[in-house]
Amino acid sequence: MNHLISPSILASDFGNLQRDIEMLNQSEADWIHVDIMDGMFVPNISFGFPIVEVAKKHAAKPLDVHLMIQDPDRYLERFKEAGASGITVHFEACPHLNRTVNAIKYLGCKAGVALNPHTPVGFLEDIIEYLDLVLIMSVNPGFGGQKFIGNTYKKLRELKKMSSGRNAKLYIEVDGGVDESNSLKLINAGANVLVAGNSVFSAKNPVAAIKTLKHPH
C-alpha cells in the first residue's frame, strides 16, 4: 500500500480556512486530519462541530477526525453527522474500547485507536483485528509544533509486526513532528499514513511540502 498524507488543519489559518482546504483539495494530500481537543483529556482546546462542518462543506477529501477528548462515545454520532469519514479515539480515554470501536463502525466510519507516547503497542493485542487504523502519537497530544519522540520508530515496527497476518490492511498512522527529515524513516518503520501540520502549513509552498512528503527520498 502506498502511504497516505493527512495534513492537519489545526495548523491552518482559521481566518482563511476555506482557502486552506481548497489548497489541500488541489494537493496530493489523501485525507484531511481534524484534531479535536477538549481541554480535559489534553491541556488545550481546539475547535468543535462548526469547524468540522465547514471543513466538510469545502473538502473534496475524507475527513480523518482525531478525538483527543474524554468519554468520546457521547459525540461519535455528532462527528459522523458533521462529516467525519474516520473517527479515531484514544485508548487512554475508552474504558470499553471494543464497544466504542463497534459504535464507530456502526456509524459507517473507519474506526481508529490512538496511543499516547507512553502507551505500549501491546495493549492493542486483543483488538487489533477489529481496527481500521492505529494512530501512534509521536508527541504528547495537545499542542502542535512539538519535538518528535524517537521511541516512535520502535512502536511502529512493533505494530507492523503485530498487524501483519492479523490485519494486513491496517492503516498505521503517525502524528507529531512529521516532516521531510523523518518521513522516509517513518514509512520504512511501518507507517502508511503521515499526519503533518506545521511542516505543511508553515511552508512557503504547502502544496510542494505535501508533494515532498508523498514522494520522500
Side-chain angles (χ1 to χ4, degrees), residues 49-125:
F49 305 112
I51 296 287
V52 181
E53 287 163 0
V54 169
K56 177 62 177 173
K57 182 179 172 186
H58 299 293
K61 299 180 177 184
L63 297 188
D64 171 30
V65 175
H66 174 196
L67 301 183
M68 290 173 263
I69 66 176
Q70 285 184 356
D71 192 11
D73 300 65
R74 293 172 295 167
Y75 299 115
L76 299 177
E77 200 165 334
R78 287 283 306 279
F79 280 109
K80 162 67 177 175
E81 288 167 1
S85 292
I87 298 175
T88 297
V89 296
H90 267 263
F91 173 87
E92 302 83 4
C94 298
H96 306 288
L97 188 59
N98 202 289
R99 181 190 299 161
T100 304
V101 165
N102 286 336
I104 295 170
K105 287 180 173 261
Y106 180 77
L107 291 170
C109 295
K110 281 191 179 67
V113 172
L115 298 178
N116 280 340
H118 69 276
T119 303
V121 167
F123 283 7
L124 298 180
E125 182 76 41

Side-chain angles (χ1 to χ4, degrees), residues 15 33 48-49 66 84 90 112 124 142 159 186 204-205 213:
H33 195 75
F49 305 112
H66 174 196
H90 267 263
L124 298 180
L159 181 58
L186 290 166
K204 280 190 178 145
N205 184 339
L213 291 171

Side-chain angles (χ1 to χ4, degrees), residues 73-175:
D73 300 65
R74 293 172 295 167
Y75 299 115
L76 299 177
E77 200 165 334
R78 287 283 306 279
F79 280 109
K80 162 67 177 175
E81 288 167 1
S85 292
I87 298 175
T88 297
V89 296
H90 267 263
F91 173 87
E92 302 83 4
C94 298
H96 306 288
L97 188 59
N98 202 289
R99 181 190 299 161
T100 304
V101 165
N102 286 336
I104 295 170
K105 287 180 173 261
Y106 180 77
L107 291 170
C109 295
K110 281 191 179 67
V113 172
L115 298 178
N116 280 340
H118 69 276
T119 303
V121 167
F123 283 7
L124 298 180
E125 182 76 41
D126 292 330
I127 199 171
I128 193 80
E129 284 96 343
Y130 303 99
L131 304 179
D132 297 305
L133 180 149
V134 174
L135 171 51
I136 300 293
M137 291 301 300
S138 44
V139 299
N140 287 295
F143 295 94
Q146 293 184 72
K147 195 170 179 336
F148 180 88
I149 295 172
N151 189 46
T152 302
Y153 299 112
K154 172 174 162 280
K155 291 178 77 171
L156 289 169
R157 286 191 292 270
E158 287 174 5
L159 181 58
K160 179 76 175 169
K161 187 176 177 185
M162 185 197 296
S163 63
S164 63
R166 295 177 63 189
N167 188 347
K169 293 181 179 174
L170 184 72
Y171 290 107
I172 298 177
E173 188 171 51
V174 61
D175 181 4

Side-chain angles (χ1 to χ4, degrees), residues 12 14-15 46 72 118 159 212:
S12 70
F14 284 107
S46 59
H118 69 276
L159 181 58
T212 301

